[in-house]
Amino acid sequence: MKIAHSLIGNHPVILKLANMENARYYFQDVTLLITHYNRSSSLTRLLKTFRELGCAFEKVIISDDGSKPEHLAVLRELQKAFSFQLIASPENKGLGHNMNKGQDAVQTTYTLYVQEDFVPKRAFLTHFRDALEIMNKHSDVDLIRFYAYFKYPYLKPFSKGFSEMVYKPLPWYTNHLKFYSYSDQPHIRRTSFFQKFGRYQEGKKGDVVEFEMCLSFIKNKGKGLFFEEFTGVFEQKNTPDEPSTMGRPKWKQQKEPPILFLRWMYLKYRLLKHTLELMLTSQQTPKKDMVRSFDEQENTVGSKVLPQELI
């Protein structure tokens, strides 16, 4: 086995090059956490793409949210090929619960979170390595985002194509996207994330769960970085058979002047509403230890991805 000695901060050998059929980049102390619900074809594509890029992580965890039996059957076949830990649920309990039980199982320092309908691009190898280097050198960085639908409005250049997201509380900073410094889209975070920002709210819609974490991230003085070329690392792919579970109302996408005016009024209302919600958000009490629940875990496998035949 050949080792590429790559020093990231004070952490030696973050990148390991294995002498296998295809060169493999091994990201030590990183768990790939993927949440899944009834999109096994998309999950298959994601796992295959990481393998084709030559990527391996210390551990891969698939957190399933009560998928249909036909999708679970595919997951169990994929598990034989990709050696991941599957955490199943007897019923659908929502995105918040699914992310919580998945994150509870992570034991490495870092978590790379990706939903199953995303696909990494070739540029992932370079920019993910850069993100690890930044997080190892800067212990105050809580999260680094790799994808977005829109550019975060208030950015301060940081390093290697990443910029710091700066929340501007003053009322003349009127872009409502300033509240979205956190996102459920692909990102790397410290596994201690829950200690600082709390757990995801359960029993609520996915967009509400995401936004409440946005508020907690701001309230608890989170520091996040945003990759400026935010469509260059991952691509979101949805098919008619496995469509996106989130959608924008059609009226928001119309360009007629009356609709644009109504949208302008709506965004001003949202700005006020979100400001009040942030004021009412509780500050997280730091905890020394997090209690990990493994009641729903099953089939724990080896911590390294092994080379096996693709399904």
Side-chain angles (χ1 to χ4, degrees):
M1 179 176 292
K2 297 178 181 179
I3 302 294
H5 294 279
S6 177
L7 294 178
I8 296 184
N10 295 321
H11 294 65
V13 195
I14 291 296
L15 184 64
K16 183 186 294 183
L17 181 60
N19 185 18
M20 299 180 183
E21 183 178 354
N22 295 313
R24 182 181 298 273
Y25 298 92
Y26 176 75
F27 295 101
Q28 188 175 345
D29 210 19
V30 178
T31 294
L32 171 62
L33 172 61
I34 304 171
T35 48
H36 172 268
Y37 179 62
N38 286 339
R39 292 193 289 200
S40 56
S41 294
S42 298
L43 176 63
T44 302
R45 181 185 60 205
L46 172 60
L47 293 172
K48 284 185 176 181
T49 304
F50 270 125
R51 176 171 288 180
E52 289 165 359
L53 290 175
C55 290
F57 303 89
E58 184 162 324
K59 195 166 189 177
V60 178
I61 294 175
I62 310 296
S63 185
D64 180 75
D65 194 19
S67 291
K68 295 178 180 178
E70 57 266 32
H71 289 282
L72 279 177
V74 175
L75 262 61
R76 296 193 186 283
E77 289 302 312
L78 288 173
Q79 192 175 26
K80 297 174 185 177
F82 291 94
S83 302
F84 56 75
Q85 179 180 355
L86 174 62
I87 306 178
S89 176
E91 60 182 337
N92 180 267
K93 296 184 179 181
L95 183 61
H97 175 78
N98 204 24
M99 290 193 291
N100 281 337
K101 69 183 178 68
Q103 188 64 62
D104 284 344
V106 177
Q107 296 180 332
T108 55
T109 301
Y110 300 111
T111 301
L112 171 61
Y113 174 68
V114 183
Q115 293 183 357
E116 79 272 52
D117 58 340
F118 283 90
V119 180
K121 298 182 177 182
R122 174 65 57 179
F124 170 84
L125 293 170
T126 297
H127 301 304
F128 184 67
R129 186 181 174 193
D130 289 342
L132 276 175
E133 180 178 355
I134 289 171
M135 296 196 80
N136 277 318
K137 287 183 177 178
H138 302 274
S139 60
D140 58 335
V141 175
D142 300 296
L143 171 146
I144 298 180
R145 293 174 55 187
F146 298 108
Y147 185 89
Y149 297 134
F150 304 100
K151 187 174 183 177
Y152 188 81
Y154 308 116
L155 295 171
K156 182 172 69 174
F158 192 86
S159 177
K160 297 180 180 292
F162 295 92
S163 293
E164 181 182 353
M165 295 176 286
V166 181
Y167 173 70
K168 302 282 190 178
L170 297 176
W172 47 85
Y173 294 100
T174 59
N175 193 317
H176 72 287
L177 295 176
K178 69 181 184 179
F179 293 98
Y180 291 87
S181 47
Y182 169 82
S183 172
D184 290 341
Q185 292 157 351
H187 64 264
I188 183 173
R189 63 189 181 221
R190 298 185 188 279
T191 296
S192 57
F193 192 85
F194 283 175
Q195 297 180 34
K196 185 171 181 179
F197 303 107
R199 299 172 67 81
Y200 294 99
Q201 296 297 310
E202 300 188 12
K204 299 181 179 180
K205 292 182 178 180
D207 55 347
V208 175
V209 171
E210 179 182 38
F211 187 69
E212 289 188 352
M213 185 56 76
C214 292
L215 296 178
S216 180
F217 193 82
I218 296 171
K219 190 76 170 188
N220 292 285
K221 297 179 173 55
K223 183 173 181 177
L225 303 185
F226 183 94
F227 189 59
E228 293 271 8
E229 300 293 330
F230 54 87
T231 60
V233 179
F234 282 91
E235 179 181 4
Q236 189 173 28
K237 289 186 176 182
N238 299 114
T239 65
D241 292 335
E242 296 186 355
S244 174
T245 56
M246 305 292 288
R248 299 179 66 200
K250 291 183 178 179
W251 71 268
K252 292 185 178 181
Q253 304 175 49
Q254 297 179 25
K255 301 298 181 183
E256 291 80 2
I259 299 299
L260 291 175
F261 176 73
L262 289 175
R263 177 160 172 75
W264 181 85
M265 293 290 294
Y266 170 71
L267 292 178
K268 299 309 172 189
Y269 158 76
R270 281 185 62 181
L271 184 68
L272 177 60
K273 177 176 178 289
H274 293 342
T275 300
L276 293 175
E277 287 174 331
L278 180 59
M279 292 173 61
L280 297 174
T281 299
S282 301
Q283 193 161 4
Q284 183 70 13
T285 302
K287 298 178 182 179
K288 293 182 179 180
D289 298 301
M290 293 295 294
V291 177
R292 297 181 178 270
S293 174
F294 295 96
D295 293 341
E296 294 177 290
Q297 293 182 28
E298 62 181 36
N299 297 328
T300 302
V301 298
S303 61
K304 295 183 180 180
V305 179
L306 303 176
Q308 301 179 23
E309 293 297 320
L310 296 176
I311 292 175

